[in-house]
Amino acid sequence: LNRGRWAGELQHMKREGEPAIVESRWQLMRVGSQSLVLETNRDITRRKQAESALAARTDELHQTFNAAATGLTRCGRNLQYIAANPAYAEIAGVPLQQIVGRPIVDVMGSKGFEEIQPYIERVLAGEPVEYERSVPFSSSGRRLLHVAYAPWREADGSVSGWIGSITDVTARHEAEEKLK
């Protein structure tokens, strides 16, 4: 109150014995020779519970995304990686920190990008795409990949990018060839 105002969150127990979180603001006012405190409070318990649930769900999704054995990517219309998981970094032969935020062509190399560009154009047109193709990566060499792209749609229905599921089937294909 020496500063004349205070704002923050307070936890207390409701009469029913349930915990509550209140957003509180206090303002010191002087009226003549008297000092008064104007206090406003708003119960934000439900909002805080929703934020906590959302944070837990987000953490769950991040852990699942990162633990997946399949390469997963999310790319934007600007042809840059928005997200990638460790399995994709292994396929690309590039550290994960050197993928997110970078152009696809920089991570894959120009030859690999040229080979997948027709599929990217289709997914950006709103079409789900699935293909199996040998694709060269500048860091990890040629990999036989099974790929599925799904358009990433905004609330208005526009396609702002895509999510990709990329499985390296090179070893399986080589084993099948040996068996033949």
Side-chain angles (χ1 to χ4, degrees):
L1 288 175
N2 289 335
R3 290 180 297 170
R5 71 183 79 205
W6 180 85
E9 295 175 3
L10 303 172
Q11 294 184 2
H12 69 91
M13 297 298 273
K14 293 181 182 181
R15 286 186 185 151
E16 302 83 30
E18 295 177 26
I21 302 171
V22 175
E23 182 178 72
S24 185
R25 297 180 187 278
W26 301 351
Q27 177 74 43
L28 181 64
M29 301 178 70
R30 300 210 190 277
V31 180
S33 63
Q34 292 187 342
S35 295
L36 303 171
V37 175
L38 175 63
E39 180 180 354
T40 58
N41 295 298
R42 183 172 60 173
D43 186 341
I44 58 171
T45 306
R46 286 189 181 155
R47 184 184 87 199
K48 288 295 191 176
Q49 289 169 340
E51 288 172 355
S52 178
L54 178 60
R57 181 71 174 132
T58 300
D59 182 57
E60 179 183 316
L61 289 173
H62 282 173
Q63 287 188 48
T64 302
F65 183 79
N66 287 327
T70 299
L72 299 173
T73 61
R74 180 169 172 230
C75 300
R77 187 169 276 287
N78 63 357
L79 305 178
Q80 289 187 350
Y81 292 97
I82 296 170
N85 71 348
Y88 180 74
E90 187 174 324
I91 292 168
V94 176
L96 187 57
Q97 311 86 295
Q98 295 178 16
I99 295 175
V100 177
R102 293 192 51 213
I104 298 166
V105 67
D106 289 357
V107 174
M108 291 187 70
S110 58
K111 288 182 182 178
F113 180 74
E114 287 173 15
E115 290 192 25
I116 67 167
Q117 193 167 9
Y119 304 109
I120 292 172
E121 290 171 4
R122 288 173 48 196
V123 75
L124 287 175
E127 176 187 347
V129 177
E130 189 169 348
Y131 63 93
E132 191 164 290
R133 181 180 185 114
S134 178
V135 178
F137 285 83
S138 57
S139 295
S140 62
R142 192 165 279 280
R143 314 301 308 154
L144 181 60
L145 304 176
H146 181 86
V147 179
Y149 293 152
W152 187 277
R153 295 190 186 275
E154 297 300 321
D156 65 1
S158 66
V159 176
S160 63
W162 71 97
I163 190 155
S165 170
I166 302 96
T167 306
D168 186 344
V169 295
T170 306
R172 184 196 76 202
H173 179 73
E174 289 171 354
E176 289 172 353
E177 288 301 312
K178 283 181 183 178
L179 286 174
K180 287 180 185 178

